[in-house]
Amino acid sequence: MQATLSTDRTPSPLAAGSLLEVKDLGVSFETRRGAVRAVNGVSFGIARGETLAIVGESGSGKSTTGLALMGLVGGSRCTIEGEVELRAKDGRRRDLLRLPPAAMREIRGNDIAMIFQEPMSSLNPVYSVESQICEAIRLHQRLGDRAARAEALGLVRLLGIADPERCLRSYPHQLSGGMRQRVMIAIALSCRPNLLIADEPTTALDVTIQAQILDLLRKLQTQTRMAMIFITHNLGVVSEIADRVLVMYGGKAVETGPVREVFHAPRMPYTMALMQSLPRLGRTRARSERLHAIPGNVPNPTALPTGCAFHPRCSFFEAGRCDTREPPFEASGPDRGVRCVRWREIAGVS
């Protein structure tokens, strides 16, 4: 069954140099407790060779955004709205939300690919690594079995896997977590996509393997000039790999901009709270001083607070302003945006 799509929008051309333009993306699910607006009016663009990080706490809508771009959410109880316009390899502009299933299957894997959060549950346990990598190569590149295997072997070697022949013969359960993640990357890159979505690709990996995976993604991006959307809650990883960052809370974008600017001068209280919760080397801290934690919990998506969804947890809360109407997402500088009625006071901007 297909998702219900909003059709009352007129597609607009991609911005010059953009590979992907997402406009007012919304994803809703009907549940017994009411409608859940998992993603609500999120907009962003990404150019070739650029990395955009999407960050936020669990339940903020990060992974649902990535799955919606891939066309992997749907069903009779799901409603998807907005536009997701991709410049395909053939140069044509495609609105991914309005493609029929067969056309989307041609795009998925070939033009846009995804590394999923947990490789052990994403890889098929009854097929060998070779079978799973070669499947995408045969489907999209129209290669025979021998040529597809040679291509898969080259990919595994490129990813720095020792004994690539043995890796291809192996099954997922026979590989370590780092090896399985490399296999997921090989499958995602098998058709040289223009856009890679990496959903928590270093979760549950130790810091050494995490560093190797991040270094590998950077090298592959440099070689192929692919764009990358990096979904994570790890701000340390964002500072290493991303050019721009999109902060999400309650299914909405609350701040965006270049990583260096947002991290050094955040303008949304939620972003500030995330930054303050990070341990930092060299920071002088009294032994009795606890690391800052954001009070409260992420709101129930079926019963979001009135006004700003973050106001019950915000240290800058002002009654009568923050809890009465939802703040708009507005420009706060060149290539920067913020959702907060008090951002000018907080940032000291007149």
Side-chain angles (χ1 to χ4, degrees):
M1 289 180 289
Q2 295 303 305
T4 304
L5 299 179
S6 170
T7 57
D8 59 351
R9 299 177 187 274
T10 303
S12 55
L14 286 170
S18 289
L19 175 69
L20 178 79
E21 287 285 344
V22 178
K23 303 170 186 176
D24 296 320
L25 177 65
V27 182
S28 300
F29 299 95
E30 288 295 331
T31 72
R32 285 178 293 181
R33 301 180 64 182
V36 174
R37 189 81 165 169
V39 180
N40 191 352
V42 172
S43 300
F44 60 85
I46 188 168
R48 290 211 63 169
E50 184 181 34
T51 299
L52 171 71
I54 303 180
V55 304
E57 293 170 280
S58 297
S60 61
K62 308 184 303 298
S63 293
T64 304
T65 298
L67 292 170
L69 300 184
M70 289 290 293
L72 296 177
V73 290
S76 60
R77 293 182 176 274
C78 176
T79 302
I80 304 177
E81 302 171 318
E83 300 171 17
V84 177
E85 298 176 7
L86 176 75
R87 195 181 302 279
K89 287 180 178 179
D90 59 11
R92 288 190 297 166
R93 186 198 65 172
R94 314 294 294 274
D95 187 343
L96 302 186
L97 297 186
R98 286 159 183 79
L99 290 179
M104 190 61 205
R105 284 195 293 270
E106 288 293 322
I107 292 286
R108 191 187 301 124
N110 192 41
D111 292 275
I112 178 172
M114 188 168 186
I115 304 172
F116 295 95
Q117 188 169 146
E118 177 44 63
M120 196 59 193
S121 61
S122 301
L123 294 171
N124 194 319
V126 301
Y127 288 101
S128 67
V129 168
E130 178 181 336
S131 297
Q132 297 186 65
I133 298 177
C134 288
E135 180 183 17
I137 296 172
R138 285 194 297 265
L139 177 65
H140 292 291
Q141 297 189 34
R142 306 291 192 266
L143 297 179
D145 291 347
R146 183 173 297 180
R149 189 183 190 281
E151 184 76 10
L153 188 62
L155 270 172
V156 171
R157 287 196 177 115
L158 178 66
L159 293 172
I161 295 177
D163 198 352
E165 292 277 1
R166 180 182 176 186
C167 176
L168 288 182
R169 294 193 302 270
S170 299
Y171 289 81
H173 71 274
Q174 296 174 310
L175 303 177
S176 67
M179 291 278 278
R180 287 194 294 266
Q181 197 62 282
R182 283 177 165 85
V183 170
M184 283 294 301
I185 294 173
I187 295 172
L189 297 179
S190 60
C191 297
R192 309 297 193 270
N194 288 334
L195 174 64
L196 177 67
I197 302 172
D199 186 5
E200 299 278 11
T202 57
T203 296
L205 300 178
D206 64 59
V207 290
T208 302
I209 301 301
Q210 175 178 288
Q212 291 174 359
I213 295 294
L214 292 178
D215 186 54
L216 176 62
L217 289 173
R218 278 193 296 262
K219 287 180 179 177
L220 292 172
Q221 186 178 33
T222 301
Q223 292 172 11
T224 63
R225 290 201 69 243
M226 68 179 177
M228 187 158 58
I229 296 175
F230 202 93
I231 299 170
T232 184
H233 62 267
N234 188 330
L235 298 183
V237 168
V238 172
S239 66
E240 287 185 41
I241 200 167
D243 301 301
R244 292 187 299 117
V245 62
L246 173 70
V247 183
M248 291 187 66
Y249 187 82
K252 298 178 182 179
V254 296
E255 186 161 10
T256 187
V259 168
R260 197 173 288 270
E261 293 182 24
V262 171
F263 279 23
H264 283 85
R267 292 173 177 171
M268 166 65 185
Y270 178 59
T271 312
M272 294 178 180
L274 290 176
M275 298 302 299
Q276 291 166 1
S277 67
L278 287 177
R280 298 175 188 273
L281 283 173
R283 175 188 285 176
T284 303
R285 181 182 294 276
R287 287 190 177 185
S288 60
E289 186 181 352
R290 296 174 61 90
L291 192 65
H292 176 80
I294 304 175
N297 298 305
V298 176
N300 186 331
T302 63
L304 292 173
T306 57
C308 174
F310 185 61
H311 85 255
R313 310 172 69 190
C314 182
S315 58
F316 294 91
F317 168 69
E318 183 179 323
R321 291 184 66 190
C322 302
D323 55 352
T324 54
R325 66 181 185 89
E326 181 186 331
F329 190 81
E330 57 183 310
S332 60
D335 198 26
R336 292 196 64 175
V338 66
R339 187 187 300 277
C340 178
V341 294
R342 299 193 62 196
W343 74 266
R344 289 181 176 83
E345 305 162 44
I346 294 168
V349 176
S350 58

